[in-house]
């Protein structure tokens, strides 16, 4: 941690009181396990935990800003983080920017609005539902909400009991829950339209369209530990040193961190020649995946349209790699999701763009590769860093724009049980909105998934 960041966190820690720390812990429950939070007794330890989870760090203070905004410490936001209430309100209006879930925001807002007499009334109405020692006079409303969650009385998609209680105690606050539920319904309807399940053109490969429609809204099982292999093929040093891909090591580390957290067996293979790429992918397709839920493969390299390059500049057809995991070639993964994420270019054309402030302080390089089509097989998702015939950008110091955005979005959205297609769409939106060396980058999703792919986050 830099000296500057350490000083900043120390000064913010010193200014926080016990109730504010409790509020920060409550708002962070989607990211830090409850047991860990219970053991934290001072703000410094809390901030250390957030750093462990990569939620704050040098140049990454958006979560800290948001937390201070929600607990109304605008003075700290202004004095130490150079932000303001107005700036945060603008920021949080942008879809997907809020890191604290709408559910946590709602509960915290209700707790703040209840006066002591209201809190006593709520505790009285919960006497037969919660242990007496959890409803003592000194128990805060946030602690009561936490106990209600632990006992299954409230959750993100079921606030019926809390609504009933507030209807008696504070009908005005019950309306907040009504508004929250209405917004959830609207968002769900939009997601249904925005992220439809793809259906293959070949019914013999994945069942008739009616069967695919029947699967709509279902979720792939993710019950094993590990859930599967996360294979990373990372080409950094090429035979021609001029083609070395600086920044790709940071991509590898970011992916390993996320997928180890998501309970995958994570393996990184470095600097593979073309033939070795083929052999490695084939080797994993021949493994026994019967006790696995999923297979994930990341490929970071140069290439050409439809192809990926080995460090010897030999090209490998991406369709050839993906085809190793069809039901015929890898029966132990039949009916299970196979995910391929490819960081490489598909050409040298440039997307036209308007001039905006550059988003990268380091040197940007261009990768080269991917694919126009995938085999018509079910349960496959391919995320490409860019569409055909266009470049894909990589920062030599911080890693590729696409992979770093994906890892950030997964850490943010997996705890909210957002499916992978939706996460990749958020990544597309973020990457497409950035100005990169005077050009635009537009990632692409190709999918024949039949269900939602939601990664389980360990508690």
């Amino acid at each position: 941690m830099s000296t500057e960041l350490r000083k900043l966190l120390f000064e913010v820690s010193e200014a926080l009181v016990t109730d504010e720390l409790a509020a920060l812990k409550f708002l962070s429950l989607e990211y830090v396990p409850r047991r860990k939070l219970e053991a934290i007794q001072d703000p410094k330890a809390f901030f250390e935990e957030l750093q462990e989870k990569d939620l704050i760090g040098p140049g990454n203070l958006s979560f800290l800003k948001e937390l201070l905004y929600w607990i109304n410490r605008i003075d700290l936001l202004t004095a130490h983080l150079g932000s303001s209430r107005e700036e945060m309100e603008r920021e949080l209006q942008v879809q997907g920017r809020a890191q604290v879930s709408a559910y946590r925001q709602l509960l915290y807002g209700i707790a703040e609005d209840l006066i002591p007499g209201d809190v006593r009334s709520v505790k009285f109405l919960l006497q037969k539902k919660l242990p007496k020692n959890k409803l003592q006079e000194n128990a805060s409303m946030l602690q009561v909400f936490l106990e209600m969650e632990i006992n299954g009385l409230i959750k993100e998609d079921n606030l019926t009991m809390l609504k009933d209680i507030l209807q008696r105690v504070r009908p005005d606050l019950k309306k907040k829950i009504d508004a929250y539920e209405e917004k959830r319904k609207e968002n769900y309807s939009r997601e249904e339209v925005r992220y439809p399940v793809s259906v293959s053109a070949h019914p013999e490969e994945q069942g008739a369209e009616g069967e695919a429609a029947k699967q709509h809204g279902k979720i792939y099982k993710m019950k094993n530990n590990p859930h599967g292999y996360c294979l990373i093929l990372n080409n950094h040093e090429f035979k021609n040193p001029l083609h070395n891909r600086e920044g790709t090591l940071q991509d590898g580390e970011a992916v390993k961190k996320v997928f180890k957290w998501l309970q995958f067996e994570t393996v990184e293979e470095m600097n593979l020649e073309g033939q070795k790429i083929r052999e490695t992918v084939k080797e994993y397709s021949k493994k026994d995946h019967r006790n696995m839920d999923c297979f994930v493969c990341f490929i970071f390299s140069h290439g050409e349209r439809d192809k990926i390059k080995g460090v010897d500049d030999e090209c490998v057809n991406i369709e050839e790699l993906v085809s190793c995991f069809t039901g015929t070639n890898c029966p132990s993964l039949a009916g299970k999701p196979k995910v391929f994420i490819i960081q490489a270019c598909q050409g040298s054309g440039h997307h036209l763009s308007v001039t905006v402030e550059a988003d990268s302080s380091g040197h940007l390089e261009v990768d080269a590769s991917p694919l126009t089509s995938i085999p018509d097989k079910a349960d496959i998702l391919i995320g490409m860093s860019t569409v055909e015939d266009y470049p894909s950008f990589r920062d030599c110091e911080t890693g590729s724009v696409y992979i770093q955005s994906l890892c950030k979005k997964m850490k943010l959205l997996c705890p909210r049980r957002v499916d992978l297609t939706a996460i990749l769409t958020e990544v597309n939106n973020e990457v497409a909105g950035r100005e990169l060396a005077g050009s635009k980058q537009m990632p692409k999703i190709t999918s024949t998934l039949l269900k939602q792919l939601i990664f389980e986050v360990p508690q």
Side-chain angles (χ1 to χ4, degrees):
M1 188 188 357
S2 69
T3 308
E4 208 171 294
L5 179 61
R6 188 179 286 110
K7 183 184 174 189
L8 166 69
L9 296 179
F10 176 80
E11 288 172 349
V12 173
S13 299
E14 289 293 292
L16 295 171
V17 297
T18 305
D19 286 349
E20 289 169 335
L21 174 61
L24 295 177
K25 287 158 63 173
F26 183 82
L27 292 168
S28 304
L29 271 164
E30 266 91 5
Y31 301 100
V32 184
R34 179 172 51 84
R35 286 188 180 85
K36 279 201 172 184
L37 288 171
E38 284 172 352
I40 291 173
Q41 299 301 322
D42 76 87
K44 295 180 192 68
F46 173 71
F47 290 141
E48 284 171 11
E49 186 60 35
L50 294 189
Q51 288 175 83
E52 278 290 308
K53 298 284 183 187
D54 279 342
L55 290 164
I56 55 175
N60 176 25
L61 296 172
S62 58
F63 190 56
L64 176 60
K65 288 180 181 179
E66 187 177 338
L67 289 176
L68 293 176
Y69 169 79
W70 290 124
I71 68 168
N72 204 32
R73 288 304 304 266
I74 308 302
D75 56 326
L76 297 178
L77 198 58
T78 305
H80 299 291
L81 292 156
S83 188
S84 66
R85 186 190 301 279
E86 295 72 28
E87 184 181 314
M88 290 305 301
E89 285 171 354
R90 283 195 302 272
E91 179 76 11
L92 295 174
Q93 281 173 2
V94 179
Q95 190 175 357
R97 290 287 173 85
Q99 297 179 67
V100 176
S101 71
Y103 170 66
R104 291 274 153 221
Q105 293 174 33
L106 172 73
L107 293 183
Y108 179 70
I110 290 171
E112 286 292 285
D113 287 341
L114 291 171
I115 62 173
D118 298 332
V119 175
R120 283 194 292 273
S121 298
V122 172
K123 289 177 183 177
F124 178 79
L125 293 169
L126 285 168
Q127 279 181 343
K128 291 185 179 178
K129 303 290 184 181
L130 294 177
K132 282 185 180 179
N133 66 332
K134 302 298 183 182
L135 297 170
Q136 293 175 353
E137 183 66 27
N138 62 349
S140 71
M141 198 62 233
L142 291 182
Q143 289 171 314
V144 173
F145 282 155
L146 191 52
E147 285 303 318
M148 291 178 76
E149 288 183 303
I150 292 166
N151 286 273
L153 302 180
I154 55 170
K155 52 185 179 179
E156 192 169 10
D157 59 356
N158 187 358
L159 291 161
T160 305
M161 179 173 287
L162 183 57
K163 276 171 63 171
D164 290 344
I165 290 170
L166 290 177
Q167 183 63 45
R168 299 189 203 179
V169 178
R170 286 285 301 273
D172 58 319
L173 297 183
K174 184 253 183 190
K175 290 177 185 174
K176 284 192 172 186
I177 302 180
D178 292 335
Y180 162 81
E181 290 177 334
E182 193 58 40
K183 194 164 186 182
R184 266 180 67 85
K185 280 182 195 170
E186 286 173 15
N187 289 343
Y188 181 77
S189 299
R190 277 202 298 272
E191 299 265 310
E192 288 286 288
V193 174
R194 193 176 173 192
Y195 313 122
V197 173
S198 301
V199 180
S200 171
H202 297 267
E204 69 276 11
E205 291 293 350
Q206 63 181 43
E209 287 193 18
E211 180 60 30
K214 210 160 69 180
Q215 298 288 352
H216 186 72
K218 291 190 176 179
I219 299 172
Y220 286 106
K221 289 181 181 175
M222 296 291 284
K223 300 300 179 190
N224 290 299
N225 187 2
H227 292 305
Y229 294 105
C230 174
L231 174 64
I232 305 165
L233 307 180
N234 194 347
N235 283 347
H236 174 217
E237 296 178 343
F238 283 68
K239 302 291 184 188
N240 180 347
L242 294 176
H243 295 166
N244 287 357
R245 301 179 58 257
E246 301 308 327
T248 195
L249 299 180
Q250 289 86 328
D251 286 345
E253 288 305 312
V255 169
K256 282 188 286 186
K257 197 160 194 172
V258 168
F259 278 85
K260 283 178 182 174
W261 168 58
L262 292 174
Q263 297 180 320
F264 276 75
E265 187 170 322
T266 306
V267 182
E268 185 175 29
E269 299 285 351
M270 298 293 301
N271 304 325
L272 303 182
E273 295 182 349
Q275 184 56 30
K276 188 64 178 172
I277 290 174
R278 290 190 188 92
E279 291 170 2
T280 304
V281 169
K282 202 160 193 174
E283 176 194 337
Y284 275 82
S285 74
K286 299 302 178 190
K287 287 183 181 286
D288 185 353
H289 300 268
R290 282 177 298 178
N291 293 321
M292 305 281 195
D293 305 307
C294 178
F295 175 75
V296 178
C297 180
F298 284 82
I299 304 176
F300 306 150
S301 192
H302 293 303
E304 296 170 0
R305 184 181 174 117
D306 295 350
K307 297 177 178 66
I308 206 84
K309 281 187 176 182
V311 295
D312 56 350
D313 283 338
E314 180 185 349
C315 288
V316 181
N317 194 302
I318 295 171
E319 185 171 328
E320 177 188 343
L321 302 179
V322 174
S323 292
C324 292
F325 290 88
T326 62
T328 305
N329 293 328
C330 185
S332 63
L333 274 173
K336 300 175 182 180
K338 281 78 68 175
V339 177
F340 296 83
I341 304 291
I342 298 168
Q343 163 60 34
C345 288
Q346 299 215 55
S348 57
H350 282 218
H351 284 287
L352 295 175
S353 63
V354 295
T355 304
V356 296
E357 186 178 351
D359 208 299
S360 173
S361 56
H363 176 60
L364 280 171
E365 288 187 349
V366 170
D367 282 320
S369 167
L371 109 153
T372 6
S373 61
I374 63 169
D376 291 313
K377 312 297 181 187
D379 307 303
I380 290 172
L381 183 149
I382 300 185
M384 311 290 296
S385 62
T386 189
V387 296
E388 296 83 13
D389 299 324
Y390 284 93
S392 177
F393 292 95
R394 172 174 31 83
D395 189 298
C396 294
E397 294 177 0
T398 60
S400 68
V401 175
Y402 178 67
I403 296 300
Q404 293 298 323
S405 175
L406 174 60
C407 291
K408 183 181 83 174
K409 290 291 183 185
M410 290 190 76
K411 285 188 286 187
L412 171 63
L413 298 174
C414 284
R416 301 185 193 174
R417 294 185 57 76
V418 175
D419 80 284
L420 184 58
T421 309
I423 292 173
L424 285 167
T425 304
E426 290 292 335
V427 172
N428 286 8
N429 183 51
E430 180 170 280
V431 172
R434 297 174 69 175
E435 181 83 8
L436 303 159
S439 297
K440 290 283 188 181
Q441 178 177 331
M442 182 65 243
K444 176 184 176 183
I445 307 163
T446 308
S447 172
T448 60
L449 294 185
L450 297 175
K451 307 175 188 178
Q452 288 187 316
L453 176 50
I454 297 175
F455 293 116
E456 298 291 331
V457 175
Q459 296 302 312

